[in-house]
Amino acid sequence: MTSAKSARRPHHWRRDLIELAALFTAVAVADAIANLIGHQPDGPYLLVASAVALVATAAFHTWWARRHSHAPPSGEGGSAPGGADAAEHGARAGTAGVAQDSGAGAIAGAEETTLWRMRTTVRDAPGSLAALCVALAGLRVDILTLGTHPLAQGTVDEFLLRAPASLQAQELSREIAAAGGTSTWIERADAHDLVDIPTRVLSLATRTALDAAELPLALRQLLGRCTIHSLPAVSVTGRPTGESAPVEGVLEGTVMRLRDPSGGVISVERPYLPFTPTEFARARALAELDARLGPRVPRGADVLTLPEGNEITVRRADRGDLAAARAMHDRCSQRTLGLRYHGPVADADRYLDHLLSPRFGRTLAVQTASGKLVALGHLLWDGDETEVALLVEDDWQRRGIGSELLGRLVALAVEAGCDSVYAVTQSHNTGMVAAMRALELPLDYQIEEGTLVITARLTADRPTAEGSARPSAPAEGARR
């Protein structure tokens, strides 16, 4: 950028001398011509005509130069209402605005910031969104993404905001309310929320298409903080539960019910924040995609070698492994089955159909080189919580199979975004306790009437929400 001082041409003494010499020369020539013409009969008339011609030529040159000049206007004497001056004024204002924004951006960049997700309802009228934006700008809040959910009356606006770390949620909520926002809901966000909604939906649809167990997780990530329950149409004892939903689903405020393709209902609940028709349509589309693709489980497998040299294969399991799982039950002792299922051992086979369903979680199976199933590990979705459970055949215990399965289940839980996992066992089940301790994660213990619940926190920087209760003793048929 060139300053005004540097733009001026420097004056040198040589140029001044040349200009002075030219002036004297012009005066001498003019005097000679005047003397020559003035002494003739018509001399005065010729001088007057020459003067008029010079004035006319100077006026024409000035008009022509102003009309066809390519030089930019100086603008020093104030801005005229002409197009060129107005354009220059706009350009200057834009430059000043950019400079001001750059300064503000530098300040904001140097200041510690926090990401927030905010949802509020505004009137469906011109200027409603603008009022919110003005209020956010007054708090030095940057709008990263914006989504709208039309309603019968009003519109729900969903923002991803970057705000100064000193700004509290209560102050932000007050300013939004003053700007016309109602039913405002604010929570902390993280870098994963920076993904735009279409990209997120496509990613969730891809994951759901590859694995049927992803549907509950995809719904949770699509809808935000919510509780998802898979309610089977038939209980583990074989009796109808009466849970059903129409093909198109049901939306009732903070609860939506979707038909489960495998039978039963997928119930999605969210406290305080009603679901919008847009969210309901997205959730229903994911459920319809899952129904069209049918049962599916990734078929990848890992071959491991035990210390004694035997090879085992770890892979995903589903209802197709039901017969092999029942055969493993027959080879297990009463004590092993009792430590796993915490209920009548005779009912153990009834739980397998529920446990092997991808709708309720993920199952890992261990089989020998001969194809015999010798161990099962379950990662079960339990509302907002996640349970891990292990069963290893007696002859294959104390070989590290349980620890291997548990480590893989925890890795799946981390991939699914779970904050913690818990295991329900007996206080004298030293094998399960040792496997949980081997994870080297923060553990919480809760003991009640001989039942031990061990909770492993997967993310130490994101502790479980205060006040959330852990199960102390499993109800019959609730956790198997």
Side-chain angles (χ1 to χ4, degrees):
M1 193 175 236
T2 305
S3 63
K5 290 184 179 180
S6 60
R8 296 176 183 173
R9 295 180 179 180
H11 295 278
H12 301 286
W13 62 273
R14 293 180 181 178
R15 175 174 297 178
D16 295 337
L17 183 61
I18 292 174
E19 291 177 353
L20 186 61
L23 176 63
F24 278 107
T25 302
V27 170
V29 172
D31 182 72
I33 294 176
N35 291 330
L36 179 63
I37 297 178
H39 294 86
Q40 295 184 4
D42 297 328
Y45 301 99
L46 291 175
L47 289 178
V48 172
S50 299
V52 171
L54 288 175
V55 171
T57 301
F60 176 80
H61 175 74
T62 302
W63 171 81
W64 182 267
R66 289 185 177 181
R67 182 172 181 178
H68 299 280
S69 177
H70 296 287
S74 62
E76 294 177 356
S79 177
D85 290 345
E88 182 186 11
H89 178 73
R92 290 182 178 179
T95 305
V98 169
Q100 183 177 3
D101 291 346
S102 302
I107 296 175
E111 187 178 8
E112 185 179 357
T113 59
T114 304
L115 294 178
W116 294 95
R117 289 181 61 190
M118 184 185 74
R119 173 178 292 201
T120 188
T121 304
V122 297
R123 294 182 301 105
D124 189 8
S128 298
L129 179 59
L132 295 182
C133 295
V134 170
L136 293 173
L139 297 174
R140 294 186 301 157
V141 176
D142 187 16
I143 301 175
L144 302 180
T145 63
L146 168 63
T148 59
H149 301 253
L151 301 176
Q153 294 182 348
T155 301
V156 175
D157 292 331
E158 187 172 6
F159 299 86
L160 179 63
L161 306 174
R162 181 167 54 205
S166 58
L167 180 64
Q168 299 298 319
Q170 294 81 358
E171 181 181 357
L172 178 58
S173 180
R174 285 195 301 268
E175 292 296 329
I176 293 300
T182 60
S183 302
T184 303
W185 171 76
I186 302 174
E187 72 168 357
R188 287 291 181 93
D190 55 24
H192 297 89
D193 295 312
L194 293 173
V195 180
D196 62 287
I197 293 178
T199 302
R200 184 188 308 171
V201 171
L202 289 174
S203 176
L204 296 177
T206 302
R207 291 172 50 182
T208 303
L210 296 175
D211 188 354
E214 287 286 339
L215 180 58
L217 300 176
L219 290 174
R220 181 178 296 177
Q221 294 187 18
L222 176 67
L223 302 173
R225 182 175 297 176
C226 59
T227 302
I228 299 178
H229 294 284
S230 293
L231 308 175
V234 180
S235 67
V236 294
T237 60
R239 292 178 296 182
T241 61
E243 298 290 348
S244 63
V247 177
E248 65 275 11
V250 178
L251 175 60
E252 299 175 344
T254 60
V255 179
M256 68 171 69
R257 295 167 64 86
L258 306 171
R259 173 175 286 188
D260 191 336
S262 59
V265 174
I266 298 176
S267 173
V268 186
E269 303 177 7
R270 185 168 61 189
Y272 313 121
L273 189 64
F275 292 108
T276 64
T278 302
E279 291 176 313
F280 180 62
R282 293 170 182 169
R284 189 173 58 185
L286 274 181
E288 291 177 355
L289 173 65
D290 180 80
R292 289 180 176 273
L293 295 176
R296 63 211 176 276
V297 171
R299 293 302 177 185
D302 294 330
V303 179
L304 307 176
T305 303
L306 297 177
E308 63 270 19
N310 296 328
E311 288 188 350
I312 59 173
T313 301
V314 182
R315 60 174 178 81
R316 287 284 298 275
D318 59 6
R319 285 174 170 169
D321 298 290
L322 187 58
R326 287 174 176 168
M328 184 186 72
H329 274 185
D330 295 338
R331 296 190 301 269
C332 291
S333 65
Q334 298 289 314
R335 179 180 180 277
T336 296
L337 294 177
L339 289 175
R340 166 62 187 91
Y341 293 107
H342 324 295
V345 176
D347 296 334
D349 287 350
R350 297 182 179 180
Y351 308 138
L352 287 175
D353 187 66
H354 172 89
L355 294 172
L356 295 175
S357 171
R359 185 64 67 242
F360 302 102
R362 296 172 176 171
T363 298
L364 297 179
V366 176
Q367 66 182 29
T368 62
S370 62
K372 184 174 65 173
L373 208 65
V374 297
L376 288 173
H378 305 285
L379 184 70
L380 303 174
W381 317 134
D382 182 21
D384 293 332
E385 301 172 335
T386 307
E387 181 185 0
V388 290
L390 301 174
L391 176 63
V392 181
E393 188 179 327
D394 295 65
D395 294 340
W396 293 84
Q397 294 179 5
R398 308 297 178 182
R399 301 189 186 188
I401 294 178
S403 297
E404 176 68 25
L405 281 178
L406 184 60
R408 289 172 178 262
L409 293 174
V410 168
L412 291 176
V414 172
E415 180 185 351
C418 302
D419 292 332
S420 62
V421 296
Y422 71 89
V424 181
T425 184
Q426 304 296 319
S427 57
H428 57 274
N429 189 352
T430 57
M432 188 65 182
V433 175
M436 292 291 289
R437 295 181 63 182
L439 295 174
E440 298 182 352
L441 294 171
L443 300 178
D444 295 330
Y445 299 89
Q446 185 177 356
I447 301 176
E448 183 176 340
E449 298 179 358
T451 299
L452 174 63
V453 180
I454 308 175
T455 302
R457 297 194 302 273
L458 306 182
T459 51
D461 56 338
R462 289 191 303 166
T464 305
E466 184 180 357
S468 61
R470 294 295 180 190
S472 58
E476 182 66 22
R479 301 179 180 88
R480 299 297 181 192

